[in-house]
Amino acid sequence: MNSAENFLQNKQLGKQASSEPAQPGPIQSQPLQQLLTRPDIWQLASGQRRPRTGVSTGYRGLDALLTSHGWPRAATTELLIDKAGIGEMSLIIPTLAELTRQGRMVILVNPPHIPYAPALAQAGVQLEKLLILHPRGQRDQLWAAEQSLQSGACGALIQWQGKETPADKELRRLQLAARDGDCLHFHFRPGSCAQAPSPAALRLQLQSDGEQLALHLLKQLSGKSGQRLHLARNPNLVRRDQPLH
Amino acid sequence: MLWLCIQLPKLPLEALTRAHRAGDQAALAVVQSSLVIEANRTANTHNVEPGLSIATACAYCTELQLLERDPEREEQLLQQLAQWAYSFTPVVSPRSAESAQNQADSNCACLYLEISGSLKAHHGLGPLLQQLGKELHKMRISHSIGLGHSPSAAHLLSQLPEHRQWLAETKTAPTPQQWRQWISFAPSKLMDCSHNAITKLYACGIKRVSQLLAIPLSEVGARFGRSFIDYLARLNGTRPDPVPSYEPPAEFHCELFFPSPLDNSEQLLFPAGRLVRELCRQLQRRQLYSQRLCWVLDYGSRGNREVNVDISRPLLDPQRLIALTKLQFERVELKEPVQALTLKCQQLQPIESHNLREDFFDEGNKQHESYQLIDKLKARLGHQALSGVTLTESYLPEQAWQNADSLTLQSKARKHQLTPVNATRPNWLLPRPTPLQQRDHKLFYDGELQLLQGPERIDGYWWQHHRHARDYYIARGGQGSLYWVYQDLTSETWFLHGVYS
């Protein structure tokens, strides 16, 4: 469909160019500008030109890597992870804390364990803005996620993929719902999904290299991908003192 | 005083068939002790009239469905109508039907309304009567209306066709003289007295009330007794005419009965919509709201099933309530055909103005959206699927947090702020500590665990049933994951309690 639209727009461009050959500058470049502002057209040298900014991740290194200088707004971000406990939540908690401070609701769908209130409060998350959902079954889970994303009431939705892999159509629906509701959508999925295509705006593979959290940028809409980044864990956690045992 | 009498002649039929769709064309008749009491229009076209015996009626119309008369349901419907009428005037009195034996056209149920105080609010008599008629029509209740200066007079005049016709055209309330004219004009068979008395009147040749009033009262008393004189005085307005006053109950309770049971939850939506609309209308008039709609699906003799719809904030929009109800009904599997649907709202609370005021501002709007979302999620996923978390004051890690009701999520005012412990705590807590494998003084949980920090000793609650003495450590697993592990000091075994994700 996109290619059809592109074709039509190109045709219009061509028509205008042929009918008004004498007109210089602005009128001709207007459709081109329109074309260039489309988010699905990738431009190499678009770094400074585009003013669209994302929501800051709270990690400067990661912000610099992302085209929107933060998590893409109103879109799905996929985080592919196999092993819990390598710092995947601390990657997004600064953003969640900021959102709850602004009074937006944050929804967790099917978290693998209990979100521990003292740790979240320490990180600055306003607990009364946090809603945890445990829908039964895949259908209810997707329904709840889509409704919450669409509603416009929630600032971020974090979802953990259950046993079944959602179909491509369903992932696309979630992405559209996030766009309609202007909501950050984080989707934690197992690393085996890396090969399957996904409509997400950003895909990050998270692994641990022993000490640090290793990020591998798999896909980024209108931006480069393939970069790797290592983020250190909180020094308070990995500080080594001599335990008695 | 201006009394309105609304006669409900078809109440026995309507109490049983109100749940039907408007287009239903089956011939129906309500029977009691082998006589037809009431018949619907389709049956009427087959000449089935009240007063026929069942055998005759079935001979006239072969596909006639017979329904047994149900006085209890009639009474319920009358109470509902009284509640409806209460929104027009505070003085309402329902009067249930008196069924005389072996007599089809006994006194039917009626409602008395004192409307002199509500004329101004409804811009006069004409618009008020129109409004009443319109709403009764919408509820599909057939009625006839009479106006009088006392309840007895209104009752008498409501049976008089000429009076009803005049009422449809009038704009202002009539003068006392006009009342007297109407009453004297009425035929005496319409009087609300015993059957014997009326036969006696006709035997005397008294066919109109005017004739009766011309006779001196003492003579009438000698013939018809004291109570008849009383009745005449009340009719004339020379004596006060008390009727029992109606008090609306503190809850909403409304039932629809299906003569042919429904076996599909989708079919329930139509009657449910009607009930919700009735509820909203009443709540709006009384400025109340309900936090819970309680639906009861009645399987007849095989028990019933309750379905609750929770609403987090005052909501009087029937469309939204129906949408929430629909979400709930979609989850319900009907084990048996449903014979009756009941809507109950037990705790009605007054709407406070500050609840509504914040809607005008943007922040209130956002709040509103999140309430709607929570209601929707609750309706489909069930109450237990939603939760929040809060802090509690405790040294024990598993007691330092608590499930919070998601309804309190959005409340701004907190009583006092708890501060979390100032120590590194994991983001994930395991619901139950997992025992760790232990070999040669080494711990294993997907690879060997390496202790990084510790111990942090938490020891206490020895005064309660079980002592908790633990040494907590931060450990790194084989694949770089950080865990929160502890050693139970009493049993010396190791457990995994949290994950630093």
Side-chain angles (χ1 to χ4, degrees):
Chain A
M1 203 181 102
N2 278 336
S3 62
E5 271 174 33
N6 278 343
F7 176 71
L8 278 179
Q9 279 185 339
N10 285 340
K11 216 173 161 187
Q12 274 184 348
L13 260 177
K15 257 188 204 164
Q16 284 199 351
S18 61
S19 63
E20 303 167 44
Q23 283 280 348
I27 293 179
Q28 264 187 33
S29 64
Q30 215 173 16
L32 187 65
Q33 283 300 330
Q34 276 176 8
L35 263 182
L36 289 181
T37 48
R38 287 173 54 133
D40 53 351
I41 288 191
W42 185 77
Q43 284 170 268
L44 184 65
S46 60
Q48 288 88 32
R49 207 181 297 161
R50 191 148 314 150
R52 290 186 310 133
T53 52
V55 182
S56 169
T57 60
Y59 294 89
R60 220 175 283 160
L62 184 58
D63 279 353
L65 211 64
L66 302 173
T67 34
S68 50
H69 303 294
W71 302 120
R73 271 180 207 277
T76 302
T77 300
E78 265 183 27
L79 302 164
L80 306 172
I81 180 167
D82 280 322
K83 188 93 202 103
I86 57 170
E88 73 277 11
M89 275 304 273
S90 41
L91 193 65
I92 57 172
I93 276 185
T95 316
L96 303 188
E98 184 52 39
L99 282 171
T100 53
R101 269 198 294 271
Q102 289 166 8
R104 309 286 305 268
M105 196 157 67
V106 169
I107 301 182
L108 309 182
V109 182
N110 259 3
H113 306 288
I114 302 164
Y116 193 44
L120 295 174
Q122 255 178 20
V125 177
Q126 306 283 314
L127 293 178
E128 59 268 24
K129 292 283 167 198
L130 205 65
L131 180 67
I132 297 152
L133 299 182
H134 282 284
R136 263 190 231 129
Q138 169 96 338
R139 261 188 66 193
D140 271 4
Q141 196 182 325
L142 289 170
W143 178 87
E146 191 181 11
Q147 289 294 324
S148 314
L149 286 169
Q150 258 172 4
S151 69
C154 91
L157 181 126
I158 302 104
Q159 190 185 0
W160 281 263
Q161 180 176 315
K163 282 174 193 120
E164 295 170 59
T165 312
D168 194 43
K169 194 176 78 186
E170 285 155 354
L171 292 174
R172 193 169 292 278
R173 274 180 73 167
L174 291 178
Q175 154 85 15
L176 287 179
R179 200 187 65 193
D180 292 346
D182 189 19
C183 177
L184 288 178
H185 178 215
F186 295 103
H187 199 173
F188 280 103
R189 304 182 64 193
S192 54
C193 301
Q195 296 310 316
S198 153
L202 176 66
R203 300 184 89 192
L204 288 172
Q205 182 148 39
L206 311 184
Q207 270 162 346
S208 172
D209 66 345
E211 304 261 323
Q212 292 177 321
L213 172 65
L215 298 174
H216 182 196
L217 215 155
L218 292 180
K219 174 192 174 185
Q220 174 161 222
L221 265 195
S222 55
K224 274 193 264 185
S225 59
Q227 304 96 316
R228 288 174 193 272
L229 180 74
H230 291 260
L231 290 177
R233 302 292 306 259
N234 184 352
N236 279 340
L237 286 177
V238 290
R239 185 188 74 232
R240 252 192 125 131
D241 46 8
Q242 293 300 318
L244 294 176
H245 278 273
Chain B
M1 299 290 266
L2 197 57
W3 285 88
L4 197 67
C5 174
I6 305 178
Q7 296 248 20
L8 310 161
K10 295 211 165 197
L11 204 63
L13 181 70
E14 280 150 358
L16 296 174
T17 61
R18 217 158 58 97
H20 280 217
R21 274 172 195 276
D24 234 342
Q25 286 302 322
L28 292 171
V30 181
V31 296
Q32 187 183 28
S33 52
S34 77
L35 277 185
V36 173
I37 300 286
E38 203 52 72
N40 72 351
R41 197 170 294 163
T42 324
N44 281 344
T45 55
H46 289 90
N47 289 329
V48 178
E49 300 282 344
L52 289 182
S53 71
I54 291 180
T56 329
C58 288
Y60 280 152
C61 174
T62 43
E63 57 265 28
L64 187 69
Q65 283 182 36
L66 299 175
L67 302 169
E68 186 67 28
R69 184 175 184 181
D70 191 342
E72 234 172 75
R73 266 185 227 287
E74 273 171 53
E75 187 58 35
Q76 270 176 15
L77 181 58
L78 187 64
Q79 288 297 323
Q80 279 167 34
L81 287 171
Q83 211 171 1
W84 160 79
Y86 190 75
S87 59
F88 288 96
T89 163
V91 187
V92 176
S93 173
R95 184 177 130 171
S96 39
E98 295 152 17
S99 49
Q101 278 299 313
N102 305 323
Q103 212 184 325
D105 51 348
S106 55
N107 262 327
C108 56
C110 64
L111 280 175
Y112 295 118
L113 278 70
E114 205 284 308
I115 54 167
S116 64
S118 21
L119 289 180
K120 207 169 179 182
H122 289 84
H123 310 294
L125 185 65
L128 174 62
L129 292 179
Q130 266 179 17
Q131 177 78 10
L132 279 167
K134 212 164 77 189
E135 292 197 16
L136 279 170
H137 186 72
K138 216 187 256 172
M139 290 190 278
R140 292 204 282 148
I141 302 288
S142 51
H143 58 278
S144 52
I145 290 180
L147 197 65
H149 53 87
S150 71
S152 309
H155 188 265
L156 176 76
L157 293 180
S158 65
Q159 292 165 304
L160 196 65
E162 291 91 342
H163 175 77
R164 290 203 295 260
Q165 187 139 26
W166 168 83
L167 207 55
E169 290 157 8
T170 189
K171 295 270 173 353
T172 49
T175 55
Q177 262 171 338
Q178 274 173 301
W179 292 132
R180 243 163 252 145
Q181 280 174 7
W182 277 118
I183 292 172
S184 14
F185 175 72
S188 45
K189 68 172 175 190
L190 297 183
M191 288 206 295
D192 186 17
C193 51
S194 70
H195 201 62
N196 287 345
I198 287 179
T199 341
K200 225 188 230 176
L201 277 176
Y202 273 79
C204 302
I206 300 173
K207 288 184 180 157
R208 294 209 176 260
V209 181
S210 55
Q211 290 169 305
L212 187 65
L213 293 178
I215 308 171
L217 270 184
S218 55
E219 304 225 343
V220 178
R223 274 168 193 263
F224 297 102
R226 182 118 201 108
S227 59
F228 190 74
I229 297 273
D230 259 4
Y231 172 70
L232 275 185
R234 281 186 280 136
L235 202 61
N236 258 331
T238 47
R239 194 170 284 201
D241 188 3
V243 283
S245 176
Y246 168 79
E247 274 292 318
E251 54 175 42
F252 180 86
H253 186 284
C254 193
E255 188 184 66
L256 282 183
F257 171 73
F258 312 117
S260 48
L262 306 182
D263 48 7
N264 185 343
S265 62
E266 246 172 63
Q267 289 175 314
L268 283 173
L269 286 176
F270 174 75
R274 165 167 294 180
L275 289 176
V276 165
R277 255 173 248 125
E278 249 163 60
L279 170 77
C280 285
R281 233 175 280 143
Q282 257 177 44
L283 292 183
Q284 200 161 27
R285 280 183 186 139
R286 289 168 65 190
Q287 290 295 292
L288 297 171
Y289 78 97
S290 169
Q291 291 203 318
R292 169 174 286 193
L293 306 185
C294 178
W295 296 96
V296 181
L297 312 181
D298 195 351
Y299 298 140
S301 58
R302 299 186 195 86
N304 56 23
R305 155 127 203 207
E306 277 198 21
V307 178
N308 288 319
V309 180
D310 285 307
I311 305 150
S312 47
R313 56 181 287 131
L315 186 65
L316 292 179
D317 181 2
Q319 293 301 331
R320 290 251 164 75
L321 290 175
I322 292 170
L324 288 177
T325 305
K326 189 178 166 199
L327 282 174
Q328 285 277 29
F329 279 175
E330 276 169 1
R331 301 200 308 153
V332 173
E333 266 182 51
L334 299 183
K335 293 195 190 79
E336 306 281 344
V338 178
Q339 299 192 345
L341 179 70
T342 312
L343 173 60
K344 285 193 288 190
C345 294
Q346 255 135 10
Q347 285 177 332
L348 301 181
Q349 286 152 350
I351 294 179
E352 285 158 22
S353 55
H354 67 84
N355 278 346
L356 299 169
R357 204 176 296 150
E358 57 184 18
D359 277 10
F360 294 114
F361 300 105
D362 197 25
E363 192 195 354
N365 244 337
K366 269 268 179 291
Q367 199 95 315
H368 200 77
E369 275 176 356
S370 52
Y371 276 118
Q372 278 176 18
L373 174 66
I374 287 177
D375 283 345
K376 219 193 244 176
L377 293 172
K378 237 179 222 173
R380 162 102 179 230
L381 308 177
H383 210 287
Q384 66 290 346
L386 277 78
S387 63
V389 285
T390 53
L391 293 172
T392 51
E393 268 174 308
S394 172
Y395 290 115
L396 264 192
E398 60 263 42
Q399 286 172 17
W401 76 281
Q402 198 183 1
N403 256 329
D405 186 12
S406 52
L407 274 185
T408 61
L409 268 179
Q410 313 294 328
S411 64
K412 279 181 201 159
R414 297 272 312 262
K415 275 163 222 149
H416 68 287
Q417 206 77 35
L418 291 174
T419 46
V421 258
N422 192 17
T424 48
R425 288 281 178 265
N427 296 328
W428 295 136
L429 190 76
L430 302 193
R432 219 164 248 284
T434 323
L436 293 175
Q437 283 184 8
Q438 212 176 339
R439 262 178 277 136
D440 318 330
H441 298 288
K442 280 178 184 166
L443 299 169
F444 295 92
Y445 183 80
D446 66 36
E448 190 189 332
L449 285 181
Q450 191 185 4
L451 298 184
L452 298 180
Q453 281 177 46
E456 179 193 347
R457 178 159 295 183
I458 294 174
D459 189 354
Y461 294 93
W462 46 265
W463 58 89
Q464 285 183 354
H465 47 273
H466 189 62
R467 181 187 169 201
H468 293 279
R470 301 164 181 176
D471 276 344
Y472 276 93
Y473 298 86
I474 299 176
R476 178 181 285 144
Q479 293 171 39
S481 306
L482 292 179
Y483 297 115
W484 203 40
V485 301
Y486 72 84
Q487 183 182 27
D488 194 282
L489 294 179
T490 46
S491 63
E492 302 235 319
T493 46
W494 288 79
F495 293 94
L496 172 69
H497 204 188
V499 182
Y500 290 95
S501 68

